[in-house]
Amino acid sequence: VSIGAWAVVVGAVLALAFLGGYAVLGKRRAELPLGWLRDVMVRRSTTGASVQMFVNGMAQVAVPAWLVTSAITSSGGAGATLLAMTLTMTVMGPFTGRKSDIPYARWFKTGLLLCALGAVGLAIGASIVPWWLTLPALVVIGLGAGFLLTPSFQAFSQTTPGRDGVGLAVYNVFRLSSFAVGGIVGAAAVDADTAWAGFLIATVLCLVSMTRTFPSVAIVQRPGVKRDVASD
């Protein structure tokens, strides 16, 4: 890693530390949703969105990088291959948006299971089977991501922090940071010539997250706010 790259990283870390310190110690710290993690549904919906973005970030970085560096296809071909996942996610959007009556617990567990299965498929495709078998694996990840993306936001938006602009900002910090971390892990795995290992990490993360339980009653519910907290 070049000295210039380290300078950028150090500068970014210092800037984030300054902003974080100002947010916690500044005059407007009372606006931070410091108690939001006491709400179980806040934790679950944020976990669902973050894990989905981790897997998504890993796939969007690691799959094209692996295909190109292994001389399997061109950059254009790698991008076209990735469309199997992104187009599936796009199609899933209207479907999940119309099914708001389904408890979030089902979206959560089904989405994570599909993401785990898709990540296993990518690990196998990057190691012992022909590369083109990663296409159905990408479709499965797209389905899993689609099961988590909109429902996670809907579930979070029905909580007390989800009704607040700062709460939504923090939710997006978790979600988008997870995307970046997934991309970094995927890139590191490809750089070490072990792309399959990165996909297995995503699989384990999904399976561990699936063990989280859900409340059978509403928690931190505002008057007139419908909560989707049915236990599965």
Side-chain angles (χ1 to χ4, degrees), residues 123-144:
I124 295 173
S127 55
I128 60 177
V129 299
W131 74 270
W132 52 266
L133 289 175
T134 58
L135 287 169
L138 286 169
V139 171
V140 173
I141 288 181
L143 289 172

Side-chain angles (χ1 to χ4, degrees), residues 46-151:
T46 304
T47 298
S50 298
V51 174
Q52 173 263 318
M53 291 294 278
F54 179 92
V55 177
N56 198 260
M58 175 174 288
Q60 291 199 37
V61 172
V63 171
W66 162 61
L67 292 174
V68 173
T69 58
S70 300
I72 294 173
T73 183
S74 64
S75 57
T81 300
L82 196 63
L83 285 175
M85 179 184 72
T86 54
L87 289 180
T88 303
M89 289 176 58
T90 301
V91 173
M92 286 291 293
F95 171 77
T96 58
R98 290 196 300 266
K99 299 293 183 179
S100 58
D101 57 309
I102 298 176
Y104 180 66
R106 295 182 184 176
W107 292 118
F108 182 85
K109 294 178 181 178
T110 303
L112 288 176
L113 178 60
L114 289 172
C115 284
L117 291 175
V120 167
L122 290 180
I124 295 173
S127 55
I128 60 177
V129 299
W131 74 270
W132 52 266
L133 289 175
T134 58
L135 287 169
L138 286 169
V139 171
V140 173
I141 288 181
L143 289 172
F147 270 71
L148 288 168
L149 187 58
T150 299

Side-chain angles (χ1 to χ4, degrees), residues 134-211:
T134 58
L135 287 169
L138 286 169
V139 171
V140 173
I141 288 181
L143 289 172
F147 270 71
L148 288 168
L149 187 58
T150 299
S152 293
F153 177 75
Q154 289 176 329
F156 180 78
S157 65
Q158 292 168 3
T159 65
T160 299
R163 296 282 182 175
D164 182 80
V166 177
L168 289 173
V170 176
Y171 169 84
N172 281 321
V173 167
F174 277 101
R175 193 172 64 90
L176 298 176
S177 297
S178 298
F179 182 92
V181 172
I184 291 171
V185 172
V190 172
D191 189 54
D193 201 24
T194 55
W196 56 270
F199 300 131
L200 287 183
I201 290 174
T203 301
V204 172
L205 180 62
C206 290
L207 294 179
V208 170
S209 299
M210 280 183 62
T211 64

